[in-house]
Amino acid sequence: MPEIRSIVRERVVTASPDTSLTELAERMEAEDVGSVVIVTDDRPQGIVTDRDITIETVSQGNDPSSVTAEDVMSDDLVTVDAESGIFDVLRAMEESNVRRIPATDSDGRLAGIVTFDDFVILLGRELRLLGDVVEAEIPPYEHT
């Protein structure tokens, strides 16, 4: 079974637990991402998404500069080993109802992140290759 190492994004936007939501939002905008992994000593502790920031500030009426990542990050962070199989990661995403999962190395340090979008792109590429194989094996279509 293919490992997620083939699609894991090694460049991950990170922050410390004491980072304000304002700063997190600025990082997300600058890096064009929808989440920031919260780390301590290179080990993932939680994740904050753009949705978390919106719900915590706008809907709750909080000042984003006074709320920190630790205040809103997921407490039950789901991680996977960077050597995990693709289907194991998809199963973990489904069971945990998450769209992003940090990948860790054998020492528990952040090795990357895998997102639902990465799987959609992978599936699209694989379907395109399958289509090419099928198309090469069938007679050409006659259009009238």
Side-chain angles (χ1 to χ4, degrees):
M1 176 175 3
E3 297 173 349
I4 61 162
R5 184 123 347 249
S6 64
I7 62 169
V8 71
R9 295 173 185 268
E10 294 177 352
R11 188 169 172 273
V12 183
V13 179
T14 62
S16 64
D18 61 348
T19 306
S20 74
L21 296 191
T22 300
E23 188 175 338
L24 290 179
E26 290 169 351
R27 283 189 195 176
M28 287 181 196
E29 180 182 28
E31 298 290 334
D32 195 27
V33 296
S35 65
V36 175
V37 177
I38 308 307
V39 296
T40 303
D41 297 325
D42 292 328
R43 298 180 193 286
Q45 305 298 310
I47 193 165
V48 177
T49 67
D50 47 6
R51 185 174 190 274
D52 295 328
I53 293 172
T54 301
I55 289 173
E56 187 58 36
T57 56
V58 176
S59 70
Q60 301 292 321
N62 292 323
D63 175 7
S65 64
S66 65
V67 179
T68 66
E70 189 171 32
D71 297 329
V72 301
M73 70 183 190
S74 54
D75 293 330
D76 55 344
L77 181 66
V78 177
T79 62
V80 293
D81 187 285
E83 305 301 323
S84 296
I86 287 175
F87 295 114
D88 293 330
V89 177
L90 285 169
R91 196 170 299 111
M93 286 177 138
E94 186 221 354
E95 290 172 357
S96 305
N97 195 29
V98 297
R99 295 177 47 96
R100 303 159 176 98
I101 295 185
T104 56
D105 65 17
S106 59
D107 294 325
R109 288 188 167 78
L110 185 63
I113 192 165
V114 179
T115 70
F116 181 79
D117 293 352
D118 297 325
F119 287 108
V120 171
I121 292 167
L122 177 65
L123 180 60
R125 288 179 182 159
E126 295 297 322
L127 285 173
R128 195 172 320 119
L129 288 173
L130 285 172
D132 291 346
V133 169
V134 169
E135 193 171 3
E137 297 295 321
I138 61 174
Y141 290 106
E142 292 183 26
H143 301 289
T144 56

